[in-house]
Each structure stands twice: as C-alpha cells, then as structure tokens.
Amino acid sequence: MVYLHDDERLDYLLAEDLRIIQSPSVFAFSLDAVLLAKFVYVPIQKGNLIDLCTGNGVIPLLLSTRTKGTITGVEIQKRLFDMAVRSVQYNHLEHQIKIIHGDILDMPKQLGYGKFDVVTCNPPYFKTPGQEELNKNEYFAIARHEILCTLEDAIRVSSQLVRPGGKVAFVHRPGRFLEMIELMKKYRVEPKRIRFVYPKLGKEANTLLVEGIKDGNPDLKILPPLIVYDDQNNYTDEVQKILYG
C-alpha cells in the first residue's frame, strides 16, 4: 500500500503501464522528460544508469521499461524525492531503482567517479533572474532556474560520474545549444547525437536532445526533426507512439 499526501494523485505513464505520483503544487514532469527517456541509448540486459535532477522519478521509471540494468535517481528537493520513492514502491521496482535525496554536486564523491554506463539529466533551463522575477512557488523556481544547479554543474558532474566510453544525455532549450556543446567538450563528453524538437511544422524548435560519449571521437549526427503537433493540434504519430505505445 502506497499512501498519497495532501493534493497528490496517481497518473498513468500510458505506454509503459506504470503509475507515478504527482501534485499540482510541485513541478510535474513534462514531455521533455519523456522524450529524453526515449532518446537516450541504454544497455538492454545490464548496466549502471543514473538520472540527475530526477524530480518525482519519471525518467528512472521510464528507463526501467527499456533496460534490466540498475537505475539511480538523484533529487535535492525532499518532497519530490519522497514522491519518487513512493512511485518506485507503487510499481514494485525497488529491486531496480534507487532514489537518493541529495545534491548532484556531491554524487561523484558519494557514489564514485566513472561508475556509471549512462547518465541522464533534465536540468533547470533558465539562468536565475532577480528575486522579484522568481516564481513564488519554491518547487517551481528550483526546477526552472539555476538556483541550486547550473548547466555547467550538470555537465561537469555527469562527466565525473560516467565511465570512459559511457553515454551522457541531456534535454534542454535550443537557445543554450552552443553553450552546451562548449561545456560538453570542456568536460570531455563528445557530442554524438542531436535532435531538435518542434511544436509544429514551420515553427522554431523549442526543445533540444543531446547525447555524448565520454572521451569519444568527434562524429556528430543530426537526427531528423521531431514534430510534436500536426495541423489539427493533435499529437503526431511519432509522439503518440512515444506517449501511448
């Protein structure tokens, strides 16, 4: 039995036949997290994976359907950590998924350098604005803005955690594309696969998926664009398949 607290609810992760605990008063997962979980390479039979800035654990839950490897999620906000733990318990995945309450900056020392085959991260997208511009909801502010973790932090820590030849994957905003590439190269994560996500055909990209290899050789592939909505504002066939199976 897993208990829900306050305004929490159980939502379906439809394509995977899983449930996840969510709450309107904390930052819920978005399509971005689902796309990252589908985009990243994962070893099927075994491996050691870690998801940084895991929130309520959506990416570890989704990855559990693609790999038999062990998965660790790291979340600094206590309430989101607790929701992630209970979601793992609800889906009976304690044998595969472990959620850690902590700061990603501490993870290399705590978990070990070069211990993971795959690192994923859906970091805060926006630089921290002035105090008057921050969302008054602390959960939303921390999830959206680089208050506790910058883009450089996320890339540096990912590089420290992944083994040479291991994969690192991020989802972010196209406006920080060049910054991401520079930082990945700075920390020896060679960009290998990039995919831009567009809300509709003819619109500007609003999401960026990037995967790199620690100490990999330069050989960048730009994948076909992913379009989210068709002209009737329905999900495209590819996105429907990702979301609903």
Side-chain angles (χ1 to χ4, degrees):
M1 175 73 69
V2 173
Y3 293 97
L4 300 179
H5 306 314
D6 303 321
D7 59 355
E8 292 177 350
R9 66 180 188 267
L10 269 174
D11 287 348
Y12 281 100
L13 296 173
L14 294 175
E16 287 74 21
D17 195 27
L18 297 171
R19 303 290 290 274
I20 187 168
I21 297 171
Q22 301 234 84
S23 162
S25 60
V26 303
F27 195 80
F29 78 88
S30 66
L31 179 63
D32 295 2
V34 179
L35 295 179
L36 176 60
K38 293 290 186 180
F39 170 77
V40 63
Y41 161 86
V42 294
I44 296 174
Q45 294 300 327
K46 59 182 180 179
N48 202 8
L49 301 82
I50 187 167
D51 179 52
L52 306 178
C53 309
T54 202
N56 62 351
V58 61
I59 289 177
L61 289 173
L62 292 170
L63 291 179
S64 74
T65 68
R66 299 185 57 209
T67 179
K68 295 179 182 177
T70 59
I71 306 167
T72 301
V74 181
E75 175 53 44
I76 196 169
Q77 298 194 71
K78 183 67 166 65
R79 185 175 177 193
L80 284 166
F81 157 78
D82 181 63
M83 292 167 67
V85 168
R86 285 182 287 125
S87 289
V88 170
Q89 292 170 348
Y90 183 89
N91 292 285
H92 307 293
L93 290 168
E94 299 97 319
H95 65 285
Q96 186 180 15
I97 300 175
K98 175 185 178 182
I99 306 295
I100 295 175
H101 178 223
D103 191 330
I104 70 166
L105 304 182
D106 300 330
M107 290 306 110
K109 185 177 292 185
Q110 181 174 328
L111 301 177
Y113 291 80
K115 297 295 186 182
F116 292 89
D117 301 294
V118 179
V119 182
T120 56
C121 186
N122 180 6
Y125 288 156
F126 308 109
K127 295 181 183 292
T128 305
Q131 193 65 35
E132 68 284 351
E133 299 174 68
L134 280 176
N135 195 300
K136 298 301 184 286
N137 182 316
E138 181 183 16
Y139 299 107
F140 283 72
I142 290 173
R144 288 172 173 165
H145 297 284
E146 295 181 335
I147 298 170
L148 302 179
C149 164
T150 66
L151 177 58
E152 183 162 6
D153 290 334
I155 293 174
R156 182 184 68 254
V157 170
S158 296
S159 175
Q160 292 169 338
L161 289 169
V162 76
R163 65 170 174 79
K167 304 289 179 68
V168 178
F170 303 97
V171 60
H172 217 286
R173 288 289 180 260
R176 302 188 71 178
F177 173 49
L178 295 181
E179 182 184 0
M180 287 190 73
I181 299 303
E182 290 172 358
L183 288 170
M184 289 174 73
K185 285 180 170 290
K186 176 180 177 179
Y187 292 106
R188 298 166 42 205
V189 178
E190 184 64 32
K192 302 290 279 188
R193 298 168 60 235
I194 290 173
R195 192 172 196 190
F196 290 97
V197 182
Y198 299 78
K200 295 183 77 170
L201 196 63
K203 299 291 186 181
E204 294 182 357
N206 61 358
T207 304
L208 168 70
L209 297 161
V210 183
E211 182 183 81
I213 294 180
K214 177 72 175 283
D215 294 330
N217 295 319
D219 181 24
L220 179 62
K221 292 180 172 61
I222 307 294
L223 303 182
L226 175 58
I227 312 298
V228 176
Y229 295 103
D230 62 21
D231 290 339
Q232 285 73 47
N233 294 317
N234 298 314
Y235 285 129
T236 59
D237 290 344
E238 183 174 4
V239 173
Q240 284 197 51
K241 185 177 180 181
I242 289 171
L243 290 174
Y244 307 119

